[in-house]
Amino acid sequence: MAGAAPQGASRSEVYRGNGPRLMLPTWVFIGIFLVLPVGLMAIYSFLTKEFRGGVIWEFTWAAYDQFFLDRGLFGDEPPSIEWTYIGIFWRSIWQAGLATVLCLLIGFPTAWFIATREASARPVWLFLVTIPYWVNLLIRTVSMKFLIRDNGPLNEFLLWTGVISDPLSLINTNFAVQLGLFYSYLPFMVLPIYSAVERYDFALSEAAADLYSDNWTTLRLVILPVVKPGIVAGCILVFVPSLGAFLAPDLLGGAKTFMIGSLIEEQFKGAAGNWPFGAAAAMILLSIVMAVLLLHARAQSKEAS
Amino acid sequence: MKTFLTTTAVALALAGAASAEGKLTIYHWFEYIPQELLDKFSAEYDVEVTMDTYDSNEALLAALKAGRLGSYDVAVPGDYMVKILGDEGMLDTFTPEEMPNLGNIEDQWMDVDFDPGRKSSIPYQWGSTSFSVNTEMYDGPRDSLGLIFEPPAELAGKINVLDTSGETLTLASMYAGIPQCTSDRDQLKALNALVQGAKDSWASFGSDVAKDVLVSGDAAAGMIWSGFSAKARSEGAPVEYVFPKEGMIVWMDNVVLLKDAPNRENALKFMNFLLEPENAAAVTNYAQYTAGVKGVGEFLDPEVATSPESNPPADVKGVFVQACPEEVQVMYDAIWTELKK
Amino acid sequence: MARHTDLRRFTGFRGLTILCLVLLYAPLVIVAVYSFNDSASITRWGGFSGKWYVDVFTGPESPKFRQAAVNSFVIAIGAATCATIIATAAAVAMHRTGRFRGKGASIALINLPLMVPEIVTAVASLIFFITIGFTTGLLTIFIAHLVFCIPFAYLPISARMQSVPDMYEQAAMDLYATPWEAFRLVLLPLMIPGILSGFLLAFIISLDDFLITNFVKGAGIETLPTAIFGSVKQGIKPNIMAISTLLLGVSVVFVTLSWLIGRAGQSRT
C-alpha cells in the first residue's frame, strides 16, 4: 500500500516534458486491448443475434428488450417487466453484498488485532494473512469444494465428533456459493483495513477515554469514522470481484443457479449462443460496477475538500 | 523495451509455431479416446497430436463459432450436431478416394440422414443417454424416467443432470410424451412446468462430473451416457444403468473434417486410421460404447462387448435428438435459461 | 492517570483473528495433507505416500500438465516483464515529469483493468479478437495478461517512487548527467525493490488467471488453471491435489521472496 509520501515527490519535474512519451505504452496497450474491446462490446450489445452464436451487423434494442421485458415464452404477450435476469442480477448483488458484510465482520477484527501487535510481530501476522491472497483462486475454490463435499473431511470430522448424526448437504447450495465468495476474497478485506488502522493515532482513543467513553463506544464513534477509507476500500475490493464471480457458483454451486458471471459465460460458451444478449448483460454489470466506483470517488473527494 | 517486446513476440511465435508441419489438432469429447491410440497414430504417421476437449455438442458449436474454426482439423460431434455444423457451412468434404477405409463402415451407418453418403464425416461410436443409480444409495424401483423428472422424496437433492439442454430437455419430453421440436404452446408449457418442478430435487448440473458424482456417492441417481456409466461400473462402483420404459436417447458420434482445417492431409489420415477395426475397437474398449465399423469383434474385450449398457433389451425404444428450426429452438433455449435462473 | 483498560484491546478480536486464519488455511492444509494419501479414493485415508507427486511428473496426464505449466510460466514471465517496464515508465511519468495534458485521465486508465470485472474483460477481449480476425492462441493470452498486469505492477512501483525523493537525480543532473543517465544510474537502482515487488505481483496475478484465459485461449493451448479446471470438472483426483499443493508451494516461495525484498527495501531508505 502506498506509504505516507512527501507530497512534493509527485510534483517532481526532473524529467519534465517526457510525461506523454513515457505514458504512451500504457495508453497504447490499455487503450487498444481494453478500452477498444469494451467499446466494441457496447456496440455488439446493440447488434442482431445470429442463430447459434455470432452477430448480424444490424442495429436493434433486442438484447436489452430481452433483458428487461417479458413477452412470454412465445414472445407475443404484451410486455411486462422481465424478472428473470433482474432476479439473477439482484441475487448476485445480494450474495456479493452478504459476502462483503461477512468479510468485514471477520476482516476488521483481524486487521485491528494484527495492527495492534508489537511492531516486530506485525509482519509475521501480516505474512500469514497474505499467503492465501497469493494462492491461486482456482486452487482455493477446489480445496473448499473438497472440504465441504458430502463425504468430505468436514463432514467426516463432524460425524466423528458427534456434533451431527447425518452428513450436512453443503455442496451445490447457495450457501456453498456464499461461503466460497467469502473465502475467496477475505484477504482483500484485511489488507486495506490493516493499513488504515496502522496509521490510526491512538491519542484519539485516549482523548475519548478521558471523556469516559468505553472501548466499544470509542470504536463506534471515533475509530470507525477515522479508518473508514480503509473499510470502504476493502468492501469495494471484495464486492466487485464477487459480483462477477464465475468459479464459486460453477464449482461450489453445482452450476445450478446462474449468477451474473455464469449467465454471461453461457451466452458465449454454452448452448444459448446469444452474443448480443451476453454483451448487453456485461454492459449492465459494468455500469453497476462503475456506478459504485463513481459514488465512492465522489464521496472521497467530498471528504477531502 | 521494443527489443524486449519483439523478443517475447518471437518466443511466443516459436512456442506456438511448431505447428507448421506434421501436426494434427483434434477437438474431442472428454475422456473418450485412449492416449495410447493417439500415441500410436503419432508414431505411425510421424504427426504431433494436440487435443482439446469439450463436454457437450453445444459447447463444441459455441467454440467453433467463437473463432476456433480454422484452428482444429477434426471434431467429434453427435448426429444432430453434424447436421447443424453442415448447415452452418463448417464442414469440409472428402472424396471416397481420400478415405480408403470408407468401406469398413457398417452398412446401417453409411447412408445417414445427417450426412447422406458420408461426405464429411465417419462414424465413431454410438450409444445411448439415459440415467444410472448408485444402488448402494437407492434401491427402489427404477424403470422410469420419472426417477429424474418426478423423483421420489428419498432422491431429492441427490440427482445430477447433464448440463446440456439438448439431451436433458429431450429426455424430459420423452417422459412427458411430448414430441421433439414441438411448437405447440401447451406442450411447451407442460415441458417447462415439468423441469421447473423437478429442479428442486436436482443437486447439480454437470456433464463431465456425471460419472464421478455417482462413483463418489455425491449423487444417488444421475443422467449419464451408457459407456460412461459402464466405466463407473468397471471402476467398481455399484452403478446401474437404467433402460427406462419411456425410452432413451440414441446417438452416434462422428469424426468430421472441419472447414479450413490447417492440416487437412493429417486429418484424413487420422479419420482413415480410426476406420481400422483394431483402432475403432481400441476406442470402444476404452469408452465402452459401440463402434460403427465392421470387423471390430475380434479386438473387443469380452466384458465390453457383452456389457449390459451396450446391449439394451430389444423392447427399449431409442430416439435420436433432432435439430430444431430456429423459431422453435429459441423456445427451448428460453425454457433452459428459465430453468437455470 | 493510570488506565484500567487497554485501549487497543477488544474482547473477541483475538478469537476472530484465529477463526479468520483457520478459515483461510483449513482447506489448503487439508488438500495438502490428502495429496499424500496412498488411496486412489480421495476421501478415504490409505496411508502416507508420495506416489501422486510421482504421478504428476510421470503419470499419463503429465505431458498435458507439463505443457500447461510451461505455457503458464512463459506467459507469466513475459507478461509480468512487459507490464513492469510499461508500469515503470508510467510511474516516472506520474511522479517525475510535472504536469502534462491527460495526466488525470492516465491515472484512471492505469487503474481501469482493476475496475472492469474480469468476466467483462474476458467477453470484450474475445469479441475484439474475433472481430479483428485474430486467431486465438498463446499470443492472445499474453496480450490479455499484459493488460491486466499493468496496474498490479504499477501499484508497488508507484508507491516506491513516491517515497524516493528526487534530490539525488537533481544532484546528478546538476553534475551534467542527462535525464536518461539520471534515471538509469540514480533512480533505477533506488527503485529495484519496488520494481521487483511489482514484477512478482504481476507474475502471480498472471499465473492465477482462469476466466480471461479461458475465453481467449486458442486451440490446443492450456495454462495450468484451465488444465486444472478441465480436470476438476470431472471430479477431484489425487493428482490434482498434488499439483495444487505444488502450486501452493510456488506461491509461498514467491510471497516470501516479495516479503524479503520489501524488508530489504525498507532498511535501505
Side-chain angles (χ1 to χ4, degrees):
Chain A
M1 302 299 128
Q7 277 300 311
S10 283
R11 302 217 184 92
S12 162
E13 300 188 355
V14 201
Y15 311 106
R16 185 151 37 117
N18 286 310
R21 201 188 308 167
L22 290 166
M23 214 59 217
L24 187 67
T26 308
W27 279 91
V28 167
F29 277 97
I30 299 184
I32 295 182
F33 296 113
L34 186 62
V35 178
L36 202 63
V38 169
L40 194 62
M41 187 181 76
I43 297 176
Y44 261 60
S45 71
F46 291 104
L47 293 180
T48 308
K49 78 159 187 163
E50 196 184 321
F51 183 40
R52 298 187 179 118
V55 286
I56 300 163
W57 282 81
E58 283 166 23
F59 288 93
T60 165
W61 291 95
Y64 292 95
D65 185 294
Q66 181 186 347
F67 191 98
F68 289 110
L69 293 179
D70 180 9
R71 295 172 191 275
L73 198 53
F74 308 99
D76 56 358
E77 288 165 30
S80 56
I81 293 178
E82 168 68 88
W83 292 107
T84 309
Y85 307 110
I86 297 174
I88 291 171
F89 269 63
W90 175 245
R91 199 185 44 242
S92 299
I93 291 171
W94 168 252
Q95 289 206 310
L98 195 58
T100 309
V101 171
L102 289 173
C103 285
L104 182 61
L105 288 178
I106 300 274
F108 180 83
T110 306
W112 178 271
F113 181 80
I114 295 175
T116 52
R117 292 306 92 194
E118 291 291 319
S120 60
R122 269 180 240 163
V124 179
W125 284 97
L126 209 55
F127 184 64
L128 281 175
V129 175
T130 323
I131 287 179
Y133 169 85
W134 288 63
V135 173
N136 199 304
L137 179 62
L138 173 63
I139 288 180
R140 289 197 287 142
T141 312
V142 169
S143 305
M144 183 56 89
K145 183 182 167 86
F146 175 68
L147 180 67
I148 64 171
R149 54 196 288 170
D150 285 358
N151 48 9
L154 180 68
N155 269 320
E156 301 252 305
F157 177 74
L158 291 177
L159 287 169
W160 177 73
T161 54
V163 177
I164 51 171
S165 53
D166 286 310
L168 301 172
S169 292
L170 294 174
I171 196 80
N172 301 330
T173 60
N174 277 341
F175 176 79
V177 177
Q178 192 69 62
L179 186 68
L181 292 177
F182 163 69
Y183 171 65
S184 300
Y185 303 114
L186 181 54
F188 289 26
M189 182 65 88
V190 177
L191 299 176
I193 297 183
Y194 167 81
S195 64
V197 173
E198 205 191 17
R199 287 199 295 270
Y200 173 73
D201 184 355
F202 276 91
L204 292 172
S205 288
E206 283 174 30
D210 288 343
L211 297 169
Y212 304 105
S213 163
D214 65 58
N215 270 7
W216 291 100
T217 314
T218 308
L219 177 69
R220 196 160 48 87
L221 296 178
V222 182
I223 299 171
L224 283 183
V226 173
V227 301
K228 203 174 101 190
I231 294 178
V232 172
C235 288
I236 287 178
L237 284 179
V238 173
F239 183 77
V240 170
S242 297
L243 201 54
F246 172 76
L247 287 175
D250 195 73
L251 289 174
L252 299 170
K256 200 168 127 186
T257 38
F258 278 138
M259 278 186 64
I260 299 176
S262 34
L263 174 71
I264 297 173
E265 202 249 5
E266 172 86 2
Q267 307 306 321
F268 292 90
K269 309 213 122 198
N274 190 340
W275 293 8
F277 181 72
M283 285 307 295
I284 293 166
L285 170 62
L286 186 62
S287 314
I288 295 174
V289 169
M290 287 299 155
V292 169
L293 293 173
L294 219 62
L295 281 177
H296 170 54
R298 184 173 285 180
Q300 245 185 351
S301 64
K302 215 193 229 164
E303 252 164 47
S305 63
Chain B
M1 185 186 77
K2 225 182 235 163
T3 19
F4 186 82
L5 274 180
T6 324
T7 324
T8 315
V10 169
L12 285 167
L14 283 178
S19 67
E21 249 155 29
K23 273 222 151 197
L24 176 69
T25 311
I26 305 170
Y27 203 23
H28 203 299
W29 286 91
F30 67 96
E31 206 176 335
Y32 201 156
I33 190 165
Q35 184 62 42
E36 298 78 41
L37 191 64
L38 294 176
D39 293 344
K40 181 180 167 191
F41 177 76
S42 265
E44 237 169 72
Y45 293 88
D46 192 25
V47 166
E48 191 191 333
V49 178
T50 333
M51 182 171 75
D52 276 353
T53 59
Y54 53 87
D55 66 355
S56 73
N57 281 310
E58 287 74 17
L60 160 68
L61 175 65
L64 292 179
K65 274 271 185 176
R68 300 271 187 91
L69 191 68
S71 305
Y72 295 114
D73 299 304
V74 294
V76 190
D79 39 79
Y80 71 99
M81 193 49 69
V82 175
K83 172 141 181 55
I84 291 175
L85 294 181
D87 291 349
E88 293 272 337
M90 290 178 155
L91 301 181
D92 195 359
T93 54
F94 52 80
T95 61
E97 294 74 43
E98 288 178 305
M99 196 67 64
N101 286 339
L102 210 58
N104 290 358
I105 298 175
E106 275 187 358
D107 300 337
Q108 58 160 329
W109 297 119
M110 191 58 206
D111 205 22
V112 284
D113 59 0
F114 50 83
D115 182 19
R118 291 288 181 183
K119 294 188 170 59
S120 309
S121 70
I122 58 157
Y124 190 55
Q125 302 279 311
W126 64 276
S128 62
T129 311
S130 164
F131 69 93
S132 289
V133 294
N134 182 320
T135 52
E136 249 170 37
M137 302 180 67
Y138 174 80
D139 206 24
R142 41 178 182 277
D143 61 342
S144 161
L145 286 168
L147 231 55
I148 302 290
F149 296 105
E150 278 176 326
E154 54 177 313
L155 279 176
K158 288 277 165 203
I159 296 171
N160 177 63
V161 295
L162 295 178
D163 196 2
T164 136
S165 59
E167 286 177 295
T168 302
L169 293 182
T170 302
L171 269 192
S173 302
M174 289 168 74
Y175 176 67
I178 297 169
Q180 286 190 59
C181 296
T182 180
S183 52
D184 181 286
R185 296 178 158 242
D186 294 332
Q187 289 180 336
L188 283 168
K189 277 185 181 158
L191 178 63
N192 189 35
L194 177 69
V195 288
Q196 283 290 346
K199 188 198 172 187
D200 288 336
S201 307
W202 295 345
S204 53
F205 285 78
S207 303
D208 21 28
V209 291
K211 182 182 73 174
D212 186 69
V213 288
L214 287 167
V215 173
S216 68
D218 284 353
M223 274 178 65
I224 197 165
W225 303 294
S226 52
F228 213 28
S229 182
K231 286 187 88 168
R233 186 174 49 79
S234 47
E235 281 171 21
V239 171
E240 187 185 305
Y241 188 69
V242 175
F243 294 104
K245 60 184 181 208
E246 295 89 357
M248 61 185 181
I249 294 173
V250 173
W251 47 259
M252 156 153 276
D253 287 332
N254 308 269
V255 186
V256 295
L257 180 63
L258 288 170
K259 198 179 144 218
D260 302 330
N263 312 288
R264 188 171 183 277
E265 288 304 308
N266 291 338
L268 291 169
K269 282 181 198 162
F270 183 65
M271 291 166 81
N272 200 50
F273 171 85
L274 288 174
L275 285 175
E276 296 283 348
E278 187 183 349
N279 300 330
V283 178
T284 302
N285 286 335
Y286 177 80
Q288 313 213 15
Y289 297 111
T290 309
V293 170
K294 291 178 205 163
V296 292
E298 56 175 306
F299 302 103
L300 289 182
D301 296 341
E303 56 271 32
V304 170
T306 59
S307 83
E309 289 84 358
S310 296
N311 295 282
D315 58 341
V316 181
K317 185 178 64 160
V319 299
F320 281 91
V321 174
Q322 290 168 20
C324 307
E326 176 170 5
E327 61 278 13
V328 176
Q329 187 60 42
V330 289
M331 290 187 251
Y332 282 89
D333 288 347
I335 291 176
W336 186 249
T337 307
E338 189 77 4
L339 180 62
K340 288 187 74 172
K341 77 182 180 189
Chain C
M1 185 175 92
R3 299 224 178 264
H4 296 290
T5 50
D6 180 355
L7 294 172
R8 291 155 196 260
R9 213 182 113 83
F10 288 91
T11 323
F13 275 23
R14 176 188 293 268
L16 285 172
T17 305
I18 305 288
L19 178 69
C20 174
L21 288 174
V22 168
L23 280 171
L24 284 176
Y25 281 93
L28 297 173
V29 170
I30 285 171
V31 163
V33 168
Y34 272 83
S35 71
F36 290 101
N37 189 355
D38 192 42
S39 160
S41 145
I42 56 164
T43 44
R44 241 160 271 144
W45 183 255
F48 182 89
S49 151
K51 72 174 180 184
W52 298 113
Y53 289 88
V54 177
D55 183 81
V56 168
F57 292 102
T58 59
E61 285 193 303
S62 62
K64 185 178 97 184
F65 283 111
R66 195 176 310 132
Q67 185 59 49
V70 169
N71 288 343
S72 268
F73 279 90
V74 167
I75 288 167
I77 290 171
T81 309
C82 293
T84 307
I85 294 168
I86 293 170
T88 308
V92 173
M94 280 299 169
H95 299 301
R96 290 287 199 270
T97 62
R99 291 170 174 281
F100 60 90
R101 271 182 67 187
K103 193 170 180 178
S106 299
I107 299 177
L109 193 75
I110 292 178
N111 286 316
L112 194 63
L114 293 179
M115 297 192 277
V116 179
E118 243 195 315
I119 180 79
V120 176
T121 310
V123 166
S125 305
L126 178 69
I127 288 177
F128 176 71
F129 288 128
I130 293 172
T131 310
I132 63 170
F134 201 101
T135 310
T136 49
L138 222 47
L139 193 61
T140 46
I141 306 179
F142 168 75
I143 290 171
H145 281 216
L146 169 57
V147 169
F148 68 71
C149 280
I150 292 174
F152 285 100
Y154 179 79
L155 288 174
I157 293 173
S158 157
R160 174 81 189 171
M161 203 171 289
Q162 271 185 314
S163 66
V164 175
D166 67 354
M167 55 188 179
Y168 306 115
E169 293 145 274
Q170 280 183 346
M173 282 162 84
D174 288 345
L175 297 169
Y176 302 106
T178 63
W180 170 244
E181 285 168 339
F183 169 74
R184 191 165 53 91
L185 302 173
V186 180
L187 181 58
L188 202 56
L190 288 169
M191 285 297 303
I192 290 296
I195 289 176
L196 279 177
S197 304
F199 174 83
L200 289 177
L201 189 55
F203 179 85
I204 285 286
I205 293 292
S206 164
L207 207 58
D208 189 65
D209 180 72
F210 164 74
L211 199 51
I212 295 174
T213 312
N214 197 35
F215 268 78
V216 301
K217 77 190 171 90
I221 292 173
E222 300 274 10
T223 63
L224 271 180
T226 62
I228 292 174
F229 182 79
S231 186
V232 161
K233 286 291 271 180
Q234 290 176 45
I236 303 173
K237 305 271 159 44
N239 64 337
I240 291 297
M241 297 211 219
I243 291 177
S244 300
T245 309
L246 288 173
L247 266 181
L248 181 70
V250 171
S251 303
V252 172
V253 168
F254 271 88
V255 71
T256 313
L257 264 181
S258 105
W259 191 58
L260 292 176
I261 290 166
R263 275 168 57 117
Q266 267 164 18
S267 57
R268 271 173 59 174
T269 30

PDB file of all heavy atoms in Angstrom, chain B residues 224-240:
ATOM      1  N   ILE B 224     -26.784 -39.913 -17.590  1.00  0.00           N
ATOM      2  CA  ILE B 224     -25.433 -40.306 -17.984  1.00  0.00           C
ATOM      3  C   ILE B 224     -25.485 -41.013 -19.329  1.00  0.00           C
ATOM      4  O   ILE B 224     -26.546 -41.484 -19.754  1.00  0.00           O
ATOM      5  CB  ILE B 224     -24.793 -41.210 -16.883  1.00  0.00           C
ATOM      6  CG1 ILE B 224     -23.284 -41.302 -17.053  1.00  0.00           C
ATOM      7  CG2 ILE B 224     -25.449 -42.582 -16.857  1.00  0.00           C
ATOM      8  CD1 ILE B 224     -22.567 -41.850 -15.825  1.00  0.00           C
ATOM      9  N   TRP B 225     -24.343 -41.061 -19.995  1.00  0.00           N
ATOM     10  CA  TRP B 225     -24.225 -41.803 -21.235  1.00  0.00           C
ATOM     11  C   TRP B 225     -23.892 -43.259 -20.920  1.00  0.00           C
ATOM     12  O   TRP B 225     -23.212 -43.552 -19.926  1.00  0.00           O
ATOM     13  CB  TRP B 225     -23.136 -41.190 -22.112  1.00  0.00           C
ATOM     14  CG  TRP B 225     -23.375 -39.754 -22.415  1.00  0.00           C
ATOM     15  CD1 TRP B 225     -24.398 -39.236 -23.161  1.00  0.00           C
ATOM     16  CD2 TRP B 225     -22.611 -38.618 -21.976  1.00  0.00           C
ATOM     17  NE1 TRP B 225     -24.314 -37.864 -23.221  1.00  0.00           N
ATOM     18  CE2 TRP B 225     -23.224 -37.462 -22.502  1.00  0.00           C
ATOM     19  CE3 TRP B 225     -21.471 -38.470 -21.196  1.00  0.00           C
ATOM     20  CZ2 TRP B 225     -22.741 -36.180 -22.281  1.00  0.00           C
ATOM     21  CZ3 TRP B 225     -20.984 -37.198 -20.969  1.00  0.00           C
ATOM     22  CH2 TRP B 225     -21.609 -36.062 -21.505  1.00  0.00           C
ATOM     23  N   SER B 226     -24.330 -44.172 -21.795  1.00  0.00           N
ATOM     24  CA  SER B 226     -24.217 -45.601 -21.493  1.00  0.00           C
ATOM     25  C   SER B 226     -22.786 -46.024 -21.160  1.00  0.00           C
ATOM     26  O   SER B 226     -22.533 -46.673 -20.139  1.00  0.00           O
ATOM     27  CB  SER B 226     -24.760 -46.418 -22.674  1.00  0.00           C
ATOM     28  OG  SER B 226     -24.160 -46.001 -23.888  1.00  0.00           O
ATOM     29  N   GLY B 227     -21.833 -45.640 -22.002  1.00  0.00           N
ATOM     30  CA  GLY B 227     -20.458 -46.091 -21.792  1.00  0.00           C
ATOM     31  C   GLY B 227     -19.831 -45.479 -20.550  1.00  0.00           C
ATOM     32  O   GLY B 227     -19.030 -46.113 -19.861  1.00  0.00           O
ATOM     33  N   PHE B 228     -20.205 -44.224 -20.281  1.00  0.00           N
ATOM     34  CA  PHE B 228     -19.670 -43.531 -19.112  1.00  0.00           C
ATOM     35  C   PHE B 228     -20.118 -44.262 -17.847  1.00  0.00           C
ATOM     36  O   PHE B 228     -19.367 -44.409 -16.887  1.00  0.00           O
ATOM     37  CB  PHE B 228     -20.168 -42.086 -19.128  1.00  0.00           C
ATOM     38  CG  PHE B 228     -19.187 -41.094 -18.550  1.00  0.00           C
ATOM     39  CD1 PHE B 228     -17.815 -41.320 -18.592  1.00  0.00           C
ATOM     40  CD2 PHE B 228     -19.641 -39.916 -17.979  1.00  0.00           C
ATOM     41  CE1 PHE B 228     -16.916 -40.396 -18.081  1.00  0.00           C
ATOM     42  CE2 PHE B 228     -18.757 -38.980 -17.454  1.00  0.00           C
ATOM     43  CZ  PHE B 228     -17.393 -39.226 -17.507  1.00  0.00           C
ATOM     44  N   SER B 229     -21.362 -44.738 -17.888  1.00  0.00           N
ATOM     45  CA  SER B 229     -21.887 -45.499 -16.757  1.00  0.00           C
ATOM     46  C   SER B 229     -21.179 -46.847 -16.650  1.00  0.00           C
ATOM     47  O   SER B 229     -20.869 -47.316 -15.557  1.00  0.00           O
ATOM     48  CB  SER B 229     -23.392 -45.692 -16.922  1.00  0.00           C
ATOM     49  OG  SER B 229     -23.928 -46.388 -15.828  1.00  0.00           O
ATOM     50  N   ALA B 230     -20.900 -47.453 -17.811  1.00  0.00           N
ATOM     51  CA  ALA B 230     -20.181 -48.731 -17.802  1.00  0.00           C
ATOM     52  C   ALA B 230     -18.801 -48.555 -17.181  1.00  0.00           C
ATOM     53  O   ALA B 230     -18.312 -49.417 -16.447  1.00  0.00           O
ATOM     54  CB  ALA B 230     -20.061 -49.267 -19.226  1.00  0.00           C
ATOM     55  N   LYS B 231     -18.171 -47.410 -17.484  1.00  0.00           N
ATOM     56  CA  LYS B 231     -16.855 -47.150 -16.903  1.00  0.00           C
ATOM     57  C   LYS B 231     -16.953 -47.034 -15.380  1.00  0.00           C
ATOM     58  O   LYS B 231     -16.087 -47.515 -14.654  1.00  0.00           O
ATOM     59  CB  LYS B 231     -16.251 -45.859 -17.474  1.00  0.00           C
ATOM     60  CG  LYS B 231     -15.761 -46.017 -18.888  1.00  0.00           C
ATOM     61  CD  LYS B 231     -15.026 -44.775 -19.355  1.00  0.00           C
ATOM     62  CE  LYS B 231     -13.555 -44.846 -18.985  1.00  0.00           C
ATOM     63  NZ  LYS B 231     -12.764 -43.808 -19.656  1.00  0.00           N
ATOM     64  N   ALA B 232     -18.027 -46.389 -14.913  1.00  0.00           N
ATOM     65  CA  ALA B 232     -18.218 -46.273 -13.467  1.00  0.00           C
ATOM     66  C   ALA B 232     -18.325 -47.659 -12.851  1.00  0.00           C
ATOM     67  O   ALA B 232     -17.724 -47.950 -11.819  1.00  0.00           O
ATOM     68  CB  ALA B 232     -19.479 -45.463 -13.173  1.00  0.00           C
ATOM     69  N   ARG B 233     -19.096 -48.529 -13.538  1.00  0.00           N
ATOM     70  CA  ARG B 233     -19.266 -49.892 -13.028  1.00  0.00           C
ATOM     71  C   ARG B 233     -17.939 -50.641 -13.045  1.00  0.00           C
ATOM     72  O   ARG B 233     -17.579 -51.323 -12.082  1.00  0.00           O
ATOM     73  CB  ARG B 233     -20.309 -50.629 -13.885  1.00  0.00           C
ATOM     74  CG  ARG B 233     -20.686 -52.007 -13.387  1.00  0.00           C
ATOM     75  CD  ARG B 233     -21.826 -52.600 -14.202  1.00  0.00           C
ATOM     76  NE  ARG B 233     -21.607 -52.499 -15.651  1.00  0.00           N
ATOM     77  CZ  ARG B 233     -20.825 -53.324 -16.335  1.00  0.00           C
ATOM     78  NH1 ARG B 233     -20.191 -54.304 -15.741  1.00  0.00           N
ATOM     79  NH2 ARG B 233     -20.659 -53.153 -17.640  1.00  0.00           N
ATOM     80  N   SER B 234     -17.159 -50.478 -14.126  1.00  0.00           N
ATOM     81  CA  SER B 234     -15.898 -51.226 -14.166  1.00  0.00           C
ATOM     82  C   SER B 234     -14.869 -50.648 -13.201  1.00  0.00           C
ATOM     83  O   SER B 234     -13.867 -51.280 -12.921  1.00  0.00           O
ATOM     84  CB  SER B 234     -15.355 -51.307 -15.601  1.00  0.00           C
ATOM     85  OG  SER B 234     -15.388 -50.068 -16.231  1.00  0.00           O
ATOM     86  N   GLU B 235     -15.120 -49.435 -12.695  1.00  0.00           N
ATOM     87  CA  GLU B 235     -14.247 -48.917 -11.640  1.00  0.00           C
ATOM     88  C   GLU B 235     -14.657 -49.472 -10.273  1.00  0.00           C
ATOM     89  O   GLU B 235     -14.090 -49.097  -9.247  1.00  0.00           O
ATOM     90  CB  GLU B 235     -14.300 -47.377 -11.601  1.00  0.00           C
ATOM     91  CG  GLU B 235     -13.461 -46.732 -12.687  1.00  0.00           C
ATOM     92  CD  GLU B 235     -13.677 -45.231 -12.809  1.00  0.00           C
ATOM     93  OE1 GLU B 235     -14.159 -44.614 -11.825  1.00  0.00           O
ATOM     94  OE2 GLU B 235     -13.378 -44.683 -13.876  1.00  0.00           O
ATOM     95  N   GLY B 236     -15.675 -50.299 -10.282  1.00  0.00           N
ATOM     96  CA  GLY B 236     -16.050 -50.978  -9.045  1.00  0.00           C
ATOM     97  C   GLY B 236     -17.167 -50.314  -8.276  1.00  0.00           C
ATOM     98  O   GLY B 236     -17.495 -50.717  -7.171  1.00  0.00           O
ATOM     99  N   ALA B 237     -17.778 -49.274  -8.859  1.00  0.00           N
ATOM    100  CA  ALA B 237     -18.854 -48.600  -8.147  1.00  0.00           C
ATOM    101  C   ALA B 237     -20.178 -49.318  -8.418  1.00  0.00           C
ATOM    102  O   ALA B 237     -20.388 -49.852  -9.506  1.00  0.00           O
ATOM    103  CB  ALA B 237     -18.944 -47.145  -8.594  1.00  0.00           C
ATOM    104  N   PRO B 238     -21.069 -49.361  -7.433  1.00  0.00           N
ATOM    105  CA  PRO B 238     -22.359 -50.032  -7.612  1.00  0.00           C
ATOM    106  C   PRO B 238     -23.320 -49.178  -8.437  1.00  0.00           C
ATOM    107  O   PRO B 238     -24.338 -48.716  -7.940  1.00  0.00           O
ATOM    108  CB  PRO B 238     -22.858 -50.215  -6.177  1.00  0.00           C
ATOM    109  CG  PRO B 238     -22.244 -49.077  -5.424  1.00  0.00           C
ATOM    110  CD  PRO B 238     -20.925 -48.785  -6.076  1.00  0.00           C
ATOM    111  N   VAL B 239     -22.954 -48.950  -9.687  1.00  0.00           N
ATOM    112  CA  VAL B 239     -23.734 -48.049 -10.535  1.00  0.00           C
ATOM    113  C   VAL B 239     -24.460 -48.868 -11.595  1.00  0.00           C
ATOM    114  O   VAL B 239     -23.841 -49.634 -12.329  1.00  0.00           O
ATOM    115  CB  VAL B 239     -22.820 -47.008 -11.205  1.00  0.00           C
ATOM    116  CG1 VAL B 239     -23.585 -46.212 -12.240  1.00  0.00           C
ATOM    117  CG2 VAL B 239     -22.216 -46.092 -10.145  1.00  0.00           C
ATOM    118  N   GLU B 240     -25.769 -48.700 -11.656  1.00  0.00           N
ATOM    119  CA  GLU B 240     -26.559 -49.475 -12.612  1.00  0.00           C
ATOM    120  C   GLU B 240     -27.234 -48.564 -13.623  1.00  0.00           C
ATOM    121  O   GLU B 240     -27.915 -47.605 -13.263  1.00  0.00           O
ATOM    122  CB  GLU B 240     -27.627 -50.294 -11.863  1.00  0.00           C
ATOM    123  CG  GLU B 240     -28.366 -51.252 -12.779  1.00  0.00           C
ATOM    124  CD  GLU B 240     -29.498 -51.966 -12.035  1.00  0.00           C
ATOM    125  OE1 GLU B 240     -29.212 -52.585 -10.995  1.00  0.00           O
ATOM    126  OE2 GLU B 240     -30.650 -51.880 -12.493  1.00  0.00           O
TER     127      GLU B 240
END
